Amino acid sequence: SGTVQKIEGDFGEIVGSVVTQLEKKAKEKGLTLSFDRPVGLLVEGNETQLTQIVFNLVDNAINYSNEGEVKVTLELEHGVVEFRVQDSGLGIGSEHLPRIFERFYRVDKGRSRASGGTGLGLAIVKHLVELHGGEVGVESALNRGSTFSVRLPGRRDDSL
């Protein structure tokens, strides 16, 4: 709708909850899922929407990795909370990178359909991140994996 009901909350708690929820799925695929949880990184946002952002990116990393690790990191730098999901998966060819956040765009149409993908996940991520005053990006290379990053306005809770 273009408006978001926001409250201030610990983004590390949101990310940690999603990582815990997806640990079994990663383990069943033989992947290591890691997250070094910092304490007290606050963002103002809608918890349900922030959870969806994190879930979509971590779940995609697991879905498109057949071995290795999915590494989730979270840090604060100059008033910006940066959330990153790095995988050792299939990677994305450079010709696809400019379009992957478009609705219904699929890099591998056959694989996406077979795994139940709609081509909407990354478009939803981009939309929700922008509603929260942030930006999303990706770095990737075929057969070397991908790193998705989300940058949101934030701050450290000095009372912790």
Side-chain angles (χ1 to χ4, degrees), residues 124-152:
I124 290 168
V125 165
K126 181 179 181 186
H127 176 71
L128 293 176
V129 167
E130 289 175 351
L131 280 177
H132 284 80
E135 56 189 38
V136 63
V138 61
E139 294 178 16
S140 188
L142 278 177
N143 303 314
R144 293 194 193 156
S146 302
T147 301
F148 284 83
S149 60
V150 171
R151 297 171 49 89
L152 298 168

Side-chain angles (χ1 to χ4, degrees), residues 2-121:
T3 60
V4 178
Q5 291 187 349
K6 298 178 184 180
I7 60 168
E8 189 171 69
D10 188 335
F11 197 44
E13 292 293 320
I14 292 170
V15 176
S17 176
V18 171
V19 168
T20 299
Q21 183 180 351
L22 290 170
E23 278 177 334
K24 181 180 178 190
K25 181 177 183 175
K27 190 173 187 174
E28 287 172 351
K29 286 193 74 174
L31 300 170
T32 302
L33 177 57
S34 67
F35 175 50
D36 184 18
R37 180 185 295 182
V39 176
L41 293 186
L42 300 177
V43 296
E44 205 172 283
N46 178 289
E47 183 176 349
T48 301
Q49 292 174 339
L50 293 173
T51 299
Q52 186 169 12
I53 291 166
V54 175
F55 185 90
N56 283 1
L57 292 178
V58 177
D59 191 52
N60 277 356
I62 294 168
N63 287 339
Y64 291 97
S65 296
N66 293 322
E67 59 185 24
E69 179 179 20
V70 174
K71 184 177 180 181
V72 179
T73 57
L74 189 58
E75 60 189 25
L76 176 71
E77 191 170 305
H78 306 294
V80 175
V81 171
E82 184 161 6
F83 162 67
R84 281 187 301 279
V85 180
Q86 180 179 6
D87 67 55
S88 56
L90 305 172
I92 303 164
S94 59
E95 71 275 14
H96 297 289
L97 292 175
R99 298 194 59 203
I100 62 168
F101 294 103
E102 293 177 13
R103 290 183 303 151
F104 306 113
Y105 188 80
R106 298 178 188 195
V107 172
D108 180 347
K109 291 163 182 40
R111 179 179 167 95
S112 294
R113 263 190 226 105
S115 64
T118 61
L120 289 172

